[in-house]
């Protein structure tokens, strides 16, 4: 694992040593309780970080700036892939499992096999190329920053589309994250099919409204341990096996968002 205080330097060093093409990988939506998880990979030309002056972590950009950078990345990228993982898969296998799997899929979907892969924040086992995790990689590795923009803009547009179908949740504003307004709407209306029913706040709201999941759900460890989530009220489509219980308890990037 690498700490990335040196702006764009790591990717350039790998390229100069003939270890390219270098692919960056990042996700958007891991911390949300509604909507898909989106994972992107991106390969830029050596030196393109300097040719994209606005490029940085997508969370640090305004929506208009992200759209500009998104268009620039699409024009300049040697290769890229965007993987959309629906909430149903997150509910069945857990956010960490699907995050790792999404990153593997995003690398595998590139047209050219990368010589090296840089991931944001944590290592990803099973990537079919040498790889290293970079702390705050979306701020110091151009290809990771580009991937973060591709993932974020793609997901934001999906959430705006969901707002047209489910306007009372305000997905166009909070994009499925657990803001005060979103939690208030969840409390008032109960969860929609777009929500992640395995998450504690969503499972609690569902039980309060007497709603059952529209797809199979394996509750997170936090939801299972929360006395306000009566498992039997969520029907037989809810599981509680070790895959999301004992396993999730040992991980730092878990699934539940506790309101």
């Amino acid at each position: 694992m690498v700490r990335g205080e040196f702006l764009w330097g790591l990717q350039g060093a790998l390229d100069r040593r003939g270890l390219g093409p270098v692919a960056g990988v990042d996700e958007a939506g891991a911390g949300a309780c509604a909507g898909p998880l989106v994972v992107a990979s991106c390969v830029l030309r050596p030196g393109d970080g300097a040719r994209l002056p606005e490029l940085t972590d997508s969370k640090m950009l305004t929506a208009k700036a992200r759209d500009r950078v998104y268009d620039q990345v699409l024009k300049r990228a040697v290769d890229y892939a965007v993987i959309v993982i629906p909430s149903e898969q997150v509910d069945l296998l857990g956010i960490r499992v699907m995050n790792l799997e999404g990153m593997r899929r995003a690398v595998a979907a590139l047209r050219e096999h990368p010589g090296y892969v840089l991931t944001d924040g944590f290592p990803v086992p099973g990537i079919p190329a040498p790889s290293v995790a970079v702390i705050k990689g979306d701020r110091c590795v151009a290809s990771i920053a580009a991937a973060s923009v591709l993932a974020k803009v793609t997901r934001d547009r999906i959430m705006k589309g969901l707002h047209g179908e489910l306007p009372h949740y305000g997905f166009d504003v909070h994009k499925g994250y657990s803001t005060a307004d979103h939690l208030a709407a969840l409390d008032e209306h109960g969860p929609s099919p777009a929500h992640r029913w395995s998450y504690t706040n969503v499972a609690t709201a569902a039980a309060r409204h007497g709603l059952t999941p529209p797809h199979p759900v394996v509750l997170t460890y936090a939801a299972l341990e929360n006395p306000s989530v009566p498992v039997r009220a969520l029907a037989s489509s809810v599981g509680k096996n070790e895959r999301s219980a004992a396993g999730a308890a040992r991980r730092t990037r878990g699934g539940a968002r506790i309101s």
Side-chain angles (χ1 to χ4, degrees):
M1 189 171 294
V2 174
R3 293 194 176 274
E5 286 84 7
F6 39 99
L7 188 65
W8 296 169
L10 176 59
Q11 182 174 332
L14 292 170
D15 281 323
R16 287 192 298 273
R17 285 163 175 76
L19 297 176
V22 178
V25 186
D26 202 3
E27 53 76 22
C33 67
L37 172 70
V38 178
V39 185
S41 59
C42 187
V43 178
L44 295 175
R45 296 177 180 84
D48 260 4
R51 300 183 183 96
L52 297 166
E54 289 186 287
L55 182 61
T56 186
D57 173 8
S58 61
K59 297 184 292 296
M60 299 178 68
L61 297 169
T62 66
K64 288 184 178 179
R66 276 196 299 270
D67 284 340
R68 286 196 302 270
V69 176
Y70 176 89
D71 291 339
Q72 293 164 4
V73 168
L74 292 187
K75 289 179 181 178
R76 297 203 64 88
V78 175
D79 199 358
Y80 69 91
V82 179
I83 305 297
V84 178
I85 298 171
S87 54
E88 299 96 298
Q89 290 186 29
V90 174
D91 278 338
L92 184 60
L93 297 175
I95 188 62
R96 179 172 174 83
V97 169
M98 294 316 303
N99 206 353
L100 296 173
E101 177 61 18
M103 292 189 173
R104 289 189 284 264
R105 290 182 192 174
V107 173
L110 293 170
R111 293 187 301 271
E112 182 179 353
H113 190 79
Y116 222 94
V117 177
L118 303 177
T119 60
D120 182 36
F122 54 91
V124 180
I127 287 181
S131 65
V132 67
V134 183
I135 301 298
K136 296 183 179 178
D138 47 10
R139 301 187 187 185
C140 60
V141 175
S143 59
I144 296 180
S148 79
V149 170
L150 294 179
K152 173 68 172 167
V153 172
T154 299
R155 188 177 187 279
D156 283 358
R157 292 176 179 177
I158 291 172
M159 297 310 293
K160 288 178 181 178
L162 284 174
H163 173 72
E165 302 172 19
L166 303 161
H168 45 281
Y169 292 104
F171 288 144
D172 61 326
V173 177
H174 54 67
K175 308 302 189 297
Y177 289 88
S178 297
T179 65
D181 287 344
H182 186 191
L183 295 179
L186 189 59
D187 185 61
E188 180 180 356
H189 302 288
S192 72
H195 280 88
R196 299 176 186 174
W197 290 65
S198 58
Y199 283 32
T200 301
N201 52 0
V202 179
T204 302
R208 191 182 306 120
H209 283 263
L211 299 174
T212 56
H215 49 255
V217 170
V218 176
L219 288 173
T220 63
Y221 177 82
L224 289 172
E225 291 294 298
N226 192 315
S228 66
V229 182
V231 174
R232 61 183 176 276
L234 296 178
S236 59
S237 59
V238 173
K240 47 179 180 176
N241 61 28
E242 270 189 357
R243 178 171 52 202
S244 66
R250 294 189 294 268
R251 296 171 180 139
T252 58
R253 291 179 69 102
R257 287 294 178 270
I258 302 175
S259 56

